[in-house]
Amino acid sequence: MSGTDHPAERTGMAVALDLLEFSLLVRAERHRREHPLATEEEVAEVVTAWKTDRPGAPLGDAEGRSVPWPRLKKPS
């Protein structure tokens, strides 16, 4: 996050990316706290696994049911 950006000028995507970056830092710190002897390589592996597995949200964070993508057109 740049200190020169005015908050009103930030886009939703920029904020979302900042939040993602922050969540990765928090996950790494949590692992370091829970496993004080962990190496930085182990911490990086845990963060990577967390990004790809998403416990509690295996299909993503969206509400509703999963649908195939691209959506198939319904017959007329």
Side-chain angles (χ1 to χ4, degrees):
M1 182 165 27
S2 171
T4 60
D5 292 325
H6 188 277
E9 296 173 357
R10 301 203 34 89
T11 66
M13 181 59 80
V15 171
L17 292 174
D18 284 347
L19 289 172
L20 171 62
E21 181 180 346
F22 182 69
S23 70
L24 298 175
L25 293 171
V26 168
R27 184 61 187 100
E29 287 304 315
R30 175 182 173 189
H31 189 75
R32 287 184 190 102
R33 185 180 65 247
E34 292 174 349
H35 305 276
L37 300 178
T39 65
E40 287 304 308
E41 183 177 287
E42 291 169 335
V43 172
E45 288 173 8
V46 166
V47 170
T48 299
W50 181 79
K51 285 191 302 188
T52 57
D53 185 26
R54 298 299 316 276
L59 301 175
D61 295 329
E63 294 182 11
R65 62 183 172 85
S66 300
V67 295
W69 192 258
R71 289 185 179 222
L72 303 174
K73 292 186 177 186
K74 293 181 181 179
S76 306

mmCIF file of all heavy atoms in Angstrom, residues 18-39:
data_model
loop_
_atom_site.group_PDB
_atom_site.id
_atom_site.type_symbol
_atom_site.label_atom_id
_atom_site.label_comp_id
_atom_site.label_asym_id
_atom_site.label_seq_id
_atom_site.Cartn_x
_atom_site.Cartn_y
_atom_site.Cartn_z
ATOM 1 N N ASP A 18 -4.693 -5.207 -1.373
ATOM 2 C CA ASP A 18 -4.046 -4.884 -0.098
ATOM 3 C C ASP A 18 -4.506 -5.842 0.996
ATOM 4 O O ASP A 18 -3.711 -6.305 1.812
ATOM 5 C CB ASP A 18 -4.348 -3.449 0.320
ATOM 6 C CG ASP A 18 -3.539 -2.425 -0.464
ATOM 7 O OD1 ASP A 18 -2.568 -2.825 -1.143
ATOM 8 O OD2 ASP A 18 -3.883 -1.230 -0.396
ATOM 9 N N LEU A 19 -5.799 -6.142 1.018
ATOM 10 C CA LEU A 19 -6.329 -7.068 2.014
ATOM 11 C C LEU A 19 -5.768 -8.470 1.818
ATOM 12 O O LEU A 19 -5.462 -9.171 2.790
ATOM 13 C CB LEU A 19 -7.852 -7.088 1.971
ATOM 14 C CG LEU A 19 -8.537 -5.841 2.502
ATOM 15 C CD1 LEU A 19 -10.031 -5.894 2.221
ATOM 16 C CD2 LEU A 19 -8.284 -5.673 3.994
ATOM 17 N N LEU A 20 -5.621 -8.894 0.573
ATOM 18 C CA LEU A 20 -5.023 -10.202 0.298
ATOM 19 C C LEU A 20 -3.596 -10.253 0.823
ATOM 20 O O LEU A 20 -3.203 -11.192 1.511
ATOM 21 C CB LEU A 20 -5.049 -10.500 -1.204
ATOM 22 C CG LEU A 20 -4.261 -11.740 -1.627
ATOM 23 C CD1 LEU A 20 -4.830 -13.002 -0.994
ATOM 24 C CD2 LEU A 20 -4.219 -11.845 -3.132
ATOM 25 N N GLU A 21 -2.826 -9.231 0.498
ATOM 26 C CA GLU A 21 -1.435 -9.175 0.951
ATOM 27 C C GLU A 21 -1.370 -9.205 2.481
ATOM 28 O O GLU A 21 -0.571 -9.932 3.066
ATOM 29 C CB GLU A 21 -0.768 -7.908 0.422
ATOM 30 C CG GLU A 21 0.687 -7.775 0.809
ATOM 31 C CD GLU A 21 1.320 -6.511 0.261
ATOM 32 O OE1 GLU A 21 0.742 -5.868 -0.624
ATOM 33 O OE2 GLU A 21 2.416 -6.168 0.756
ATOM 34 N N PHE A 22 -2.243 -8.449 3.122
ATOM 35 C CA PHE A 22 -2.265 -8.414 4.581
ATOM 36 C C PHE A 22 -2.645 -9.783 5.149
ATOM 37 O O PHE A 22 -2.047 -10.248 6.117
ATOM 38 C CB PHE A 22 -3.242 -7.341 5.067
ATOM 39 C CG PHE A 22 -3.290 -7.218 6.551
ATOM 40 C CD1 PHE A 22 -2.213 -6.710 7.254
ATOM 41 C CD2 PHE A 22 -4.411 -7.625 7.253
ATOM 42 C CE1 PHE A 22 -2.247 -6.603 8.638
ATOM 43 C CE2 PHE A 22 -4.454 -7.523 8.629
ATOM 44 C CZ PHE A 22 -3.378 -7.012 9.325
ATOM 45 N N SER A 23 -3.619 -10.458 4.531
ATOM 46 C CA SER A 23 -4.031 -11.770 5.038
ATOM 47 C C SER A 23 -2.896 -12.784 4.937
ATOM 48 O O SER A 23 -2.745 -13.638 5.819
ATOM 49 C CB SER A 23 -5.272 -12.271 4.300
ATOM 50 O OG SER A 23 -4.968 -12.607 2.966
ATOM 51 N N LEU A 24 -2.085 -12.694 3.900
ATOM 52 C CA LEU A 24 -0.945 -13.608 3.769
ATOM 53 C C LEU A 24 0.098 -13.332 4.850
ATOM 54 O O LEU A 24 0.675 -14.272 5.417
ATOM 55 C CB LEU A 24 -0.331 -13.481 2.378
ATOM 56 C CG LEU A 24 -1.261 -13.851 1.221
ATOM 57 C CD1 LEU A 24 -0.582 -13.575 -0.116
ATOM 58 C CD2 LEU A 24 -1.734 -15.282 1.312
ATOM 59 N N LEU A 25 0.323 -12.063 5.142
ATOM 60 C CA LEU A 25 1.257 -11.721 6.225
ATOM 61 C C LEU A 25 0.750 -12.214 7.577
ATOM 62 O O LEU A 25 1.518 -12.744 8.376
ATOM 63 C CB LEU A 25 1.471 -10.201 6.270
ATOM 64 C CG LEU A 25 2.204 -9.585 5.088
ATOM 65 C CD1 LEU A 25 2.153 -8.061 5.171
ATOM 66 C CD2 LEU A 25 3.630 -10.078 5.030
ATOM 67 N N VAL A 26 -0.551 -12.060 7.812
ATOM 68 C CA VAL A 26 -1.136 -12.504 9.078
ATOM 69 C C VAL A 26 -1.034 -14.020 9.203
ATOM 70 O O VAL A 26 -0.709 -14.550 10.270
ATOM 71 C CB VAL A 26 -2.607 -12.035 9.198
ATOM 72 C CG1 VAL A 26 -3.318 -12.716 10.342
ATOM 73 C CG2 VAL A 26 -2.651 -10.525 9.361
ATOM 74 N N ARG A 27 -1.300 -14.746 8.098
ATOM 75 C CA ARG A 27 -1.221 -16.211 8.147
ATOM 76 C C ARG A 27 0.203 -16.659 8.434
ATOM 77 O O ARG A 27 0.435 -17.596 9.198
ATOM 78 C CB ARG A 27 -1.723 -16.825 6.828
ATOM 79 C CG ARG A 27 -1.747 -18.340 6.850
ATOM 80 C CD ARG A 27 -2.678 -18.839 7.943
ATOM 81 N NE ARG A 27 -2.621 -20.259 8.118
ATOM 82 C CZ ARG A 27 -1.932 -20.882 9.082
ATOM 83 N NH1 ARG A 27 -1.220 -20.196 9.945
ATOM 84 N NH2 ARG A 27 -1.959 -22.178 9.173
ATOM 85 N N ALA A 28 1.178 -15.990 7.842
ATOM 86 C CA ALA A 28 2.579 -16.327 8.100
ATOM 87 C C ALA A 28 2.939 -16.071 9.557
ATOM 88 O O ALA A 28 3.584 -16.907 10.211
ATOM 89 C CB ALA A 28 3.491 -15.524 7.169
ATOM 90 N N GLU A 29 2.516 -14.929 10.087
ATOM 91 C CA GLU A 29 2.816 -14.619 11.490
ATOM 92 C C GLU A 29 2.147 -15.601 12.443
ATOM 93 O O GLU A 29 2.717 -15.984 13.462
ATOM 94 C CB GLU A 29 2.400 -13.191 11.828
ATOM 95 C CG GLU A 29 3.307 -12.140 11.226
ATOM 96 C CD GLU A 29 4.759 -12.326 11.620
ATOM 97 O OE1 GLU A 29 5.055 -12.583 12.813
ATOM 98 O OE2 GLU A 29 5.629 -12.230 10.737
ATOM 99 N N ARG A 30 0.934 -16.012 12.107
ATOM 100 C CA ARG A 30 0.243 -17.003 12.948
ATOM 101 C C ARG A 30 1.041 -18.293 12.997
ATOM 102 O O ARG A 30 1.219 -18.891 14.064
ATOM 103 C CB ARG A 30 -1.147 -17.260 12.390
ATOM 104 C CG ARG A 30 -1.876 -18.364 13.121
ATOM 105 C CD ARG A 30 -3.234 -18.621 12.516
ATOM 106 N NE ARG A 30 -3.835 -19.777 13.125
ATOM 107 C CZ ARG A 30 -4.931 -20.346 12.688
ATOM 108 N NH1 ARG A 30 -5.564 -19.852 11.636
ATOM 109 N NH2 ARG A 30 -5.415 -21.404 13.275
ATOM 110 N N HIS A 31 1.549 -18.739 11.838
ATOM 111 C CA HIS A 31 2.324 -19.978 11.824
ATOM 112 C C HIS A 31 3.617 -19.813 12.623
ATOM 113 O O HIS A 31 4.003 -20.719 13.360
ATOM 114 C CB HIS A 31 2.625 -20.418 10.393
ATOM 115 C CG HIS A 31 3.217 -21.789 10.334
ATOM 116 N ND1 HIS A 31 2.473 -22.920 10.526
ATOM 117 C CD2 HIS A 31 4.485 -22.203 10.149
ATOM 118 C CE1 HIS A 31 3.251 -23.980 10.449
ATOM 119 N NE2 HIS A 31 4.484 -23.563 10.219
ATOM 120 N N ARG A 32 4.268 -18.676 12.484
ATOM 121 C CA ARG A 32 5.498 -18.441 13.256
ATOM 122 C C ARG A 32 5.216 -18.459 14.759
ATOM 123 O O ARG A 32 6.008 -18.981 15.542
ATOM 124 C CB ARG A 32 6.113 -17.099 12.868
ATOM 125 C CG ARG A 32 6.753 -17.091 11.523
ATOM 126 C CD ARG A 32 7.437 -15.752 11.241
ATOM 127 N NE ARG A 32 7.857 -15.665 9.860
ATOM 128 C CZ ARG A 32 7.214 -14.990 8.922
ATOM 129 N NH1 ARG A 32 6.131 -14.282 9.220
ATOM 130 N NH2 ARG A 32 7.657 -14.981 7.686
ATOM 131 N N ARG A 33 4.092 -17.885 15.157
ATOM 132 C CA ARG A 33 3.735 -17.857 16.575
ATOM 133 C C ARG A 33 3.434 -19.272 17.090
ATOM 134 O O ARG A 33 3.854 -19.650 18.176
ATOM 135 C CB ARG A 33 2.528 -16.955 16.781
ATOM 136 C CG ARG A 33 2.142 -16.751 18.232
ATOM 137 C CD ARG A 33 0.929 -15.846 18.400
ATOM 138 N NE ARG A 33 -0.260 -16.444 17.824
ATOM 139 C CZ ARG A 33 -0.922 -15.996 16.757
ATOM 140 N NH1 ARG A 33 -0.513 -14.923 16.135
ATOM 141 N NH2 ARG A 33 -1.993 -16.603 16.293
ATOM 142 N N GLU A 34 2.692 -20.054 16.293
ATOM 143 C CA GLU A 34 2.323 -21.408 16.710
ATOM 144 C C GLU A 34 3.484 -22.396 16.596
ATOM 145 O O GLU A 34 3.490 -23.419 17.278
ATOM 146 C CB GLU A 34 1.150 -21.911 15.856
ATOM 147 C CG GLU A 34 -0.131 -21.148 16.120
ATOM 148 C CD GLU A 34 -1.259 -21.542 15.181
ATOM 149 O OE1 GLU A 34 -1.003 -22.264 14.187
ATOM 150 O OE2 GLU A 34 -2.400 -21.116 15.442
ATOM 151 N N HIS A 35 4.452 -22.101 15.736
ATOM 152 C CA HIS A 35 5.606 -22.981 15.508
ATOM 153 C C HIS A 35 6.885 -22.149 15.516
ATOM 154 O O HIS A 35 7.448 -21.846 14.462
ATOM 155 C CB HIS A 35 5.455 -23.703 14.163
ATOM 156 C CG HIS A 35 4.180 -24.461 14.034
ATOM 157 N ND1 HIS A 35 4.009 -25.730 14.528
ATOM 158 C CD2 HIS A 35 2.991 -24.112 13.495
ATOM 159 C CE1 HIS A 35 2.783 -26.142 14.289
ATOM 160 N NE2 HIS A 35 2.135 -25.165 13.667
ATOM 161 N N PRO A 36 7.358 -21.775 16.702
ATOM 162 C CA PRO A 36 8.503 -20.863 16.794
ATOM 163 C C PRO A 36 9.786 -21.388 16.141
ATOM 164 O O PRO A 36 10.644 -20.597 15.776
ATOM 165 C CB PRO A 36 8.715 -20.667 18.293
ATOM 166 C CG PRO A 36 7.617 -21.362 18.979
ATOM 167 C CD PRO A 36 6.839 -22.139 18.005
ATOM 168 N N LEU A 37 9.907 -22.684 15.974
ATOM 169 C CA LEU A 37 11.122 -23.234 15.372
ATOM 170 C C LEU A 37 11.000 -23.424 13.862
ATOM 171 O O LEU A 37 11.929 -23.920 13.219
ATOM 172 C CB LEU A 37 11.469 -24.575 16.039
ATOM 173 C CG LEU A 37 11.716 -24.504 17.553
ATOM 174 C CD1 LEU A 37 12.011 -25.881 18.115
ATOM 175 C CD2 LEU A 37 12.848 -23.542 17.866
ATOM 176 N N ALA A 38 9.901 -23.037 13.289
ATOM 177 C CA ALA A 38 9.688 -23.206 11.841
ATOM 178 C C ALA A 38 10.653 -22.328 11.053
ATOM 179 O O ALA A 38 10.931 -21.190 11.425
ATOM 180 C CB ALA A 38 8.252 -22.852 11.478
ATOM 181 N N THR A 39 11.140 -22.891 9.966
ATOM 182 C CA THR A 39 12.009 -22.112 9.078
ATOM 183 C C THR A 39 11.142 -21.237 8.178
ATOM 184 O O THR A 39 9.936 -21.455 8.047
ATOM 185 C CB THR A 39 12.858 -23.051 8.194
ATOM 186 O OG1 THR A 39 11.978 -23.775 7.323
ATOM 187 C CG2 THR A 39 13.677 -24.014 9.032
#
